[in-house]
Amino acid sequence: MEALIIEGGNPLHGRVKVGGAKNAVLPLMAAALLTHETCILENVPHLRDVNTMVRLLKALGAEVEWEKEKGKLHIRAQELPHPEAPYDLVKTMRASVLVLGPLVGRCRRAKVSLPGGCAIGVRPIDLHLKALEKLGAHIVLEEGYVVASCKELKGTTLYFDKVTVTGTENILMAATLAQGETVLENCAREPEVQELIRVLKAMGARIEGEGTDTIRVQGVKELGGYRHRVMPDRIEAATLIIAGAITRGEVTVEEVVPLHLEAVTRKLQEAGVELEICPQSIHVKGKGRARAVDINTLPYPGFPTDVQAQFMALMTLARGTSVITENIFENRFLHAAELKRMGADIRVDGNQAVVKGVDSLKGAPLMATDLRASASLVLAALAARGTSRVSRIYHLDRGYEKLDEKLATLGASIKRINEKP
Ligand code: UD1
């Protein structure tokens, strides 16, 4: 098991590039199952979750070639003899469930392991299943697997009781090959969903309503291949911007789409962090302590739950008291206990965390519990006095491409070591 040793206190300086978006590339890879033609993705980040999706697509019978150095992925799902996603792969990555919609759409049958719980909450897939049933799929749960089958999927109108990102993506993909029109209401509007719609349209799908919460899909008989460059990862970008702010450094984060980050940049500006927002980059200047501000996580375009933990790290050192409300996941404050071990003053009450800013944090041995919590601990350690050891960083490697190396190029004292379990 690997860990990071971080010597805090160096203000970060320099320029850093954001990689391709994890939450965009995974659904786009699943979309390649909808066609027998070749699909090519560029700007593919080198992440553990991408590797898991590669293994899953191969297990389903697709040919996949990943030119890691070039960040290029070729996928060809000419035939799909085994539309079955095994537990071993699904349990390590919830987003594996994204193959369900495309498989049912194209093969009319699929067997996909139920993802089970994860550190940040129960995270069921009931809304995905309910929507597939409404499209005409027969669904049974057998020995921990979802077994779905149908003669054909038939267009219908359906409403998601809760805004769900992968749920919207899954059903959207299934509906592209359904018979007739499907109207999806209360859809997620995340930029990653919009990017999926653009790619599906390039494959020949007929979709309207991109960027709104009502999406209309006219089913077609078949789809063709695509070639696409993955958009920049807005969560990585936000993490790097906060790294500049929390260390009171000066960093230019390149290859960003500022529009995707508006909820975060507005809050940072409200907290007194100086930002220069250019068309494809954001320059951050962290002068002195930030001011405490409240945040409320919401579906896009609201403040992203995936940046809540990193923002909390910044608030631990702010002037004043901040109230952080987590509205998306029921157990997403696991980082708070670790931050407290560094001297942060945080009181968690249900889905709210009250963070009283302190003058300084002290380095400590820390345990990463989930992907974004790990990033929060790394940020706090960069700003703390003394040395921290962040263990279990496999969580970090699921969704951040070489974050330690990127931070080191900005002047952070950060080293990856092998740790005995
Ligand atoms: C996606 C993102 C994840 C992000 C999350 C919220 C990917 C690969 N992952 O996850 O990084 O944190 O959106 O922005 O894109 N829910 C149900 N039933 C369902 C589906 C969801 O109750 O069938 C609930 C969830 O438990 C959660 C809320 O709906 O409380 C939103 O979850 P959802 O948007 O589905 O998250 P993911 O798509 O899994």
Side-chain angles (χ1 to χ4, degrees):
M1 280 220 262
E2 291 183 321
L4 292 176
I5 303 292
I6 299 171
E7 188 75 46
N10 292 351
L12 301 188
H13 284 283
R15 312 177 84 83
V16 63
K17 274 197 181 123
V18 172
K22 169 179 95 69
N23 287 354
V25 76
L26 298 174
L28 293 174
M29 290 172 74
L33 295 172
L34 289 163
T35 174
H36 59 268
E37 290 185 10
T38 302
C39 298
I40 299 175
L41 283 166
E42 289 163 2
N43 200 32
V44 175
H46 193 180
L47 303 173
R48 252 177 20 118
D49 275 6
V50 173
N51 196 41
T52 305
M53 191 57 108
V54 167
R55 287 169 58 211
L56 179 53
L57 296 183
K58 283 184 176 168
L60 294 167
E63 290 166 37
V64 186
E65 191 198 340
W66 189 4
E67 295 178 83
K68 288 190 180 138
E69 292 313 312
K70 290 190 186 158
K72 208 166 166 187
L73 201 54
H74 305 248
I75 305 168
R76 190 164 188 218
Q78 198 168 17
E79 288 184 38
L80 293 168
H82 326 286
E84 186 172 326
Y87 175 65
D88 278 355
L89 292 173
V90 178
K91 75 171 184 211
T92 61
M93 182 181 73
R94 269 187 57 82
S96 308
V97 77
L98 282 165
V99 300
L100 180 62
L103 288 177
V104 180
R106 179 162 159 206
C107 308
R108 310 281 189 251
R109 66 192 173 96
K111 187 171 170 187
V112 174
S113 171
L114 278 166
C118 67
I120 64 173
V122 182
R123 294 180 88 175
I125 57 162
D126 56 315
L127 301 174
H128 303 229
L129 301 184
K130 198 171 139 194
L132 271 181
E133 275 181 332
K134 189 110 199 272
L135 279 167
H138 173 69
I139 292 180
V140 284
L141 301 182
E142 266 172 22
E143 294 168 354
Y145 280 76
V146 175
V147 182
S149 58
C150 62
K151 275 218 182 75
E152 60 185 358
L153 292 178
K154 282 213 177 84
T156 181
T157 294
L158 52 91
Y159 177 88
F160 289 104
D161 294 334
K162 230 177 173 181
V163 176
T164 158
V165 176
T166 50
T168 302
E169 293 167 342
N170 230 342
I171 302 312
L172 185 60
M173 289 191 276
T176 57
L177 294 177
Q179 202 191 51
E181 185 182 63
T182 304
V183 182
L184 306 175
E185 292 173 350
N186 199 26
C187 291
R189 290 182 286 161
E190 267 64 3
E192 295 78 11
V193 177
Q194 297 181 40
E195 179 154 273
L196 174 66
I197 295 178
R198 284 196 292 277
V199 171
L200 290 170
K201 281 165 114 173
M203 294 170 80
R206 293 175 57 201
I207 306 174
E208 279 170 32
E210 172 187 332
T212 74
D213 62 3
T214 302
I215 302 174
R216 287 173 184 275
V217 186
Q218 300 288 341
V220 294
K221 284 244 148 28
E222 57 177 28
L223 295 173
Y226 66 78
R227 185 183 191 111
H228 181 76
R229 185 177 165 81
V230 180
M231 66 183 215
D233 194 308
R234 62 194 168 100
I235 310 301
E236 184 192 356
T239 306
L240 291 167
I241 294 169
I242 296 174
I246 200 171
T247 61
R248 299 172 198 177
E250 201 168 339
V251 173
T252 305
V253 182
E254 296 175 333
E255 301 210 1
V256 301
V257 182
L259 176 70
H260 296 170
L261 283 161
E262 264 183 7
V264 176
T265 50
R266 284 218 187 99
K267 278 292 166 186
L268 285 169
Q269 285 169 325
E270 206 183 310
V273 175
E274 206 175 286
L275 298 178
E276 192 188 330
I277 301 178
C278 302
Q280 279 154 17
S281 66
I282 295 180
H283 181 76
V284 51
K285 204 169 174 184
K287 307 168 302 178
R289 280 174 86 174
R291 268 194 304 276
V293 292
D294 296 343
I295 63 166
N296 232 315
T297 65
L298 289 170
Y300 189 83
F303 192 96
T305 171
D306 285 351
V307 184
Q308 178 259 106
Q310 301 89 314
F311 205 90
M312 186 187 288
L314 181 68
M315 290 297 100
T316 62
L317 289 166
R319 245 179 304 115
T321 299
S322 143
V323 178
I324 296 181
T325 310
E326 172 57 57
N327 296 301
I328 310 291
F329 293 112
E330 72 268 29
N331 191 23
R332 209 173 196 180
F333 284 140
L334 295 170
H335 43 284
E338 296 296 299
L339 293 171
K340 278 162 85 167
R341 301 183 57 251
M342 304 176 82
D345 183 344
I346 305 170
R347 191 165 44 82
V348 173
D349 186 7
N351 73 334
Q352 283 197 325
V354 179
V355 185
K356 260 193 206 154
V358 294
D359 289 341
S360 64
L361 297 176
K362 284 199 196 75
L366 304 165
M367 188 79 81
T369 48
D370 68 71
L371 171 54
R372 306 305 170 186
S374 325
S376 146
L377 301 182
V378 169
L379 293 177
L382 289 174
R385 291 200 189 131
T387 310
S388 299
R389 188 182 68 237
V390 186
S391 301
R392 299 208 179 155
I393 53 158
Y394 54 86
H395 290 292
L396 195 71
D397 294 335
R398 275 192 41 222
Y400 285 96
E401 184 175 24
K402 300 181 185 151
L403 184 65
D404 44 335
E405 290 176 27
K406 288 187 182 181
L407 293 169
T409 63
L410 296 174
S413 166
I414 184 167
K415 199 168 68 196
R416 195 177 271 256
I417 58 156
N418 268 316
E419 202 180 37
K420 288 211 177 80

